[in-house]
Amino acid sequence: MKGNKIVLDLEFTPLRDPDLQAVAGNEIIEIGAVKLDEENRKLDSFQTYVKPQYSDIPYRITQITGITKKTVEKAPQYAEAMEQFADWIGSDVRSRFYTWSTSDQNVILREADLKEFPLHDMFYEHWVDLQRIHQRMYGFTRPMNLTNALGSMQIYFEGTEHGALADARNTAEILCNLSSIQGVHERIEKSHITYNGASSHGFTMGMVIRKK
């Protein structure tokens, strides 16, 4: 692909108001992204917390992400955060978004509708779901979460899980590895089972990588 690759991850908190839920189910509380060039060379990274407008951050979200109300109290709200993000991406070079599943794309677009914020055209154009590509290339019957997918590729998770920038960096690592079809085939041929304990970094007990 010509142009840059924006590997994106979001953390978000649920909306509770039924009227708001009719438009959007969540509000973003953190954006993390990595920018790669067409040769998969890392160019830059981006991270910001985002202050939700209509929702609190429940305890279970704090447990998963480490983000609290205090974390975001001085953070930009959605419109300002998205302007900063778009400026960081830049419009002089064509960019494509890469995410793990389609949920991040849906959250961004639906929150834009809820808050009547006009996003740059690029947010409506080129999105790639790496979760599905991984599933198809490795022959799994169901899509995996990010950590298990890394384990299936014998890659260690770097950083803290469910931090947006750490998740984006690890997703970028998967992108780089999936970009080499020969490399995927070699890993499948050499791999049989990945192993796991409490500190496994994503290696899953009994996961068999099937040969084609």
Side-chain angles (χ1 to χ4, degrees), residues 27-28 49-53 72-78 115:
E27 285 188 286
I28 297 167
Y49 293 109
V50 185
K51 184 176 182 179
Q53 183 177 348
V72 301
E73 64 182 1
K74 296 183 179 179
Q77 290 192 340
Y78 176 82
K115 296 176 179 176

Side-chain angles (χ1 to χ4, degrees), residues 143-161:
M144 294 181 178
N145 65 34
L146 177 61
T147 307
N148 284 344
L150 286 162
S152 77
M153 302 171 75
Q154 299 187 352
I155 301 172
Y156 289 94
F157 190 101
E158 297 290 340
T160 302
E161 294 179 47

Side-chain angles (χ1 to χ4, degrees), residues 10-17 20-21 23-31 49-58 61 65 67 72 76-79 81-82 103-104 106-112 114-115:
L10 305 175
E11 302 303 328
F12 39 84
T13 190
L15 286 162
R16 300 299 186 189
D17 188 312
L20 299 179
Q21 287 178 344
V23 181
N26 302 277
E27 285 188 286
I28 297 167
I29 54 175
E30 186 182 13
I31 301 171
Y49 293 109
V50 185
K51 184 176 182 179
Q53 183 177 348
Y54 300 116
S55 52
D56 293 322
I57 300 176
I61 297 297
T65 66
I67 299 171
V72 301
Q77 290 192 340
Y78 176 82
M82 290 304 296
S103 61
D104 291 338
N106 291 333
V107 169
I108 280 181
L109 299 184
R110 289 177 182 177
E111 190 169 350
L114 175 67
K115 296 176 179 176

Side-chain angles (χ1 to χ4, degrees), residues 34-191:
V34 176
K35 184 187 296 183
L36 307 175
D37 67 12
E38 57 194 64
E39 301 298 327
N40 290 334
R41 291 182 292 253
K42 181 181 174 181
L43 301 176
D44 200 4
S45 61
F46 176 91
Q47 187 276 339
T48 185
Y49 293 109
V50 185
K51 184 176 182 179
Q53 183 177 348
Y54 300 116
S55 52
D56 293 322
I57 300 176
Y59 178 66
R60 67 178 183 86
I61 297 297
T62 297
Q63 281 187 305
I64 294 169
T65 66
I67 299 171
T68 65
K69 181 178 180 180
K70 186 174 182 179
T71 307
V72 301
E73 64 182 1
K74 296 183 179 179
Q77 290 192 340
Y78 176 82
E80 183 182 353
M82 290 304 296
E83 286 178 348
Q84 292 174 4
F85 185 39
D87 288 344
W88 172 80
I89 294 169
S91 57
D92 55 330
V93 176
R94 178 189 178 193
S95 295
R96 179 173 292 175
F97 295 100
Y98 292 78
T99 58
W100 196 255
S101 85
T102 60
S103 61
D104 291 338
Q105 177 188 9
N106 291 333
V107 169
I108 280 181
L109 299 184
R110 289 177 182 177
E111 190 169 350
D113 288 343
L114 175 67
K115 296 176 179 176
E116 299 181 344
F117 178 74
L119 292 171
H120 190 282
D121 289 347
M122 62 185 165
F123 287 99
Y124 298 95
E125 294 173 353
H126 305 293
W127 291 80
V128 179
D129 179 1
L130 288 170
Q131 186 184 58
R132 291 294 181 184
I133 292 175
H134 168 269
Q135 178 190 354
R136 290 196 299 268
M137 291 183 75
Y138 276 82
F140 293 113
T141 57
R142 291 183 294 180
M144 294 181 178
N145 65 34
L146 177 61
T147 307
N148 284 344
L150 286 162
S152 77
M153 302 171 75
Q154 299 187 352
I155 301 172
Y156 289 94
F157 190 101
E158 297 290 340
T160 302
E161 294 179 47
H162 301 298
L165 183 54
D167 283 357
R169 285 172 171 159
N170 284 276
T171 304
E173 184 67 21
I174 290 180
L175 167 60
C176 293
N177 279 269
L178 292 180
S179 296
S180 169
I181 296 175
Q182 180 181 349
V184 169
H185 288 166
E186 288 175 355
R187 281 190 296 275
I188 291 173
E189 289 298 318
K190 292 177 181 177
S191 301

